[in-house]
Structure formats: C-alpha cells, structure tokens
Amino acid sequence: GSGAFYWTLGALLFTLPAFLLDLLLRPLAWGWLLLGLLLKPLFSLRMLLEEVAAVERALGEDLEEARRRLSRIVSRPTEDLSPEEVREAALESLSENLSDSVLAPLLYYALFGLAGAALYRYANTADAMWGYPAHELRGAFAARADDLLNLLPARLTGLLLCPPRLWPRLLQEARKTPSPNAGFPMAALALRLGVRLRKRG
C-alpha cells in the first residue's frame, strides 16, 4: 500500500548516502574515525540520561516542572500524573530508549555498517512520528517496521539489564505490555531495581 511505498522511499533517501559513505571510508586507514563521527548522531545516551536526571531533580522541587520535563521524553499526557507516576514513566522511557537509542543502532552498525544504523534510526523516528492510528496505513506500516527491527535489540537489552538469575521472571513480566518489544527492557529495569512500573490503562 501507500504506507509501504512512502516508508521505503524515505528509507532509501536516508540510508543510501550512509551506505555510500561507508563504502568509501571503510577501506581508508583513518576511515574508522570518520565513520565513528558519522555514527555518533545516530544514538543518544548522554541526552537520554540528562533528561531522565532532570525529571528526577525537578520531582524534588516542583511537580509541575517535573511533569513538563517528562513530557519531553514520553508521548502520554503528563498533566495529572502523581509523583510516583512521573518517576515510573521516566524509568520506562529510560529503559525503552536504552534499546532504541543506544543498543539497537550499535547492533545494526555491527551487522550492516553505517547504512544499517541509519536504516534503524529512520524506522524508529518514522514510528515515533507516524506510528499512531491517526496516520492510518502509513502509521501502521511504520509501527510494524519498527517492531520488526526491534525484536532482537529489545530482547538483548532486557538480558543485559536483568541479572541472569531473574531471566525466567523477565520472560513472564515482558509479556504484560501490549508492545511486542517494550516489555523486555522495562521489565528488566524493574527487576533490576526491585520496583513495579505501571501505566494507566
């Protein structure tokens, strides 16, 4: 359908330059340095940690400010969240983004080079922008493509975050979310911290 066409066209326009740069730079003695610089914008660990830390600091001073800061990293409404819900939502976002913004781009770079990391980042961004019912076919295709590309990274993130002795519980807890992937990093972080993460509805 048209959703698949527009998604594929965008993916080609986004990843083709990355593929060509990878092809040109990889044989060069100093190419790894330039590839590293090109890869850096495709993941965002520092910003993620800073945003979550800012929510936690704000919680100690002003709930309204904490809600406002939280709205920068989650898509759910934050206006009436309790302090506990604000903290839980920040932790959920942290866990999901450890997979989406850190491990997944690095994994796809290791498997397919710069083009792999660029394709993953395109799919993840397309899902964040269009992966809602309001965008109909385009949104449905973007959401399914992102789900498919996150099958392995989400599970790897869960296994890395969760203590091995709790892996059997991780598999049980991860199934409690409607998303096929988000439950793995969220459950892993909850088990590691010994907390319960909730979401209304």
Side-chain angles (χ1 to χ4, degrees):
S2 60
F5 172 77
Y6 286 116
W7 189 96
T8 304
L9 179 62
L12 284 172
L13 292 173
F14 196 77
T15 58
L16 187 58
F19 174 76
L20 294 174
L21 283 168
D22 203 325
L23 207 61
L24 290 169
L25 294 174
R26 201 168 281 271
L28 301 177
W30 42 268
W32 62 271
L33 179 61
L34 288 176
L35 284 171
L37 291 173
L38 291 168
L39 177 64
K40 189 177 185 303
L42 300 177
F43 63 98
S44 53
L45 177 61
R46 180 186 293 178
M47 186 180 77
L48 169 64
L49 294 174
E50 286 174 354
E51 289 294 333
V52 173
V55 172
E56 182 62 30
R57 282 195 303 273
L59 263 178
E61 300 168 6
D62 181 3
L63 179 56
E64 286 301 319
E65 175 63 12
R67 290 168 174 162
R68 189 188 68 77
R69 295 297 304 224
L70 178 66
S71 69
R72 295 167 53 152
I73 57 172
V74 301
S75 56
R76 74 186 75 171
T78 62
E79 297 82 11
D80 62 342
L81 295 183
S82 69
E84 293 79 14
E85 288 173 316
V86 168
R87 183 172 285 118
E88 288 165 4
L91 288 173
E92 288 165 13
S93 182
L94 173 63
S95 65
E96 276 194 87
N97 280 288
L98 283 173
S99 177
D100 294 355
S101 301
V102 181
L103 192 138
L106 291 174
L107 175 67
Y108 280 105
Y109 176 76
L111 292 174
F112 304 112
L114 192 63
L119 175 63
Y120 173 79
R121 177 51 61 208
Y122 169 80
N124 192 243
T125 303
D127 177 50
M129 292 173 61
W130 304 326
Y132 301 97
H135 293 286
E136 299 176 344
L137 287 176
R138 181 172 62 171
F141 191 87
R144 295 295 76 80
D146 184 66
D147 285 345
L148 181 63
L149 287 172
N150 273 304
L151 284 173
L152 182 58
R155 284 151 182 80
L156 281 176
T157 303
L159 292 174
L160 291 170
L161 270 179
C162 186
R165 63 185 172 80
L166 295 175
W167 283 355
R169 280 200 61 199
L170 171 63
L171 296 176
Q172 294 172 350
E173 297 293 330
R175 296 190 188 105
K176 294 181 178 178
T177 63
S179 164
N181 299 315
F184 284 89
M186 285 195 289
L189 186 61
L191 288 166
R192 186 175 195 91
L193 297 177
V195 299
R196 174 172 290 180
L197 299 179
R198 301 161 296 177
K199 183 178 181 181
R200 291 184 191 180

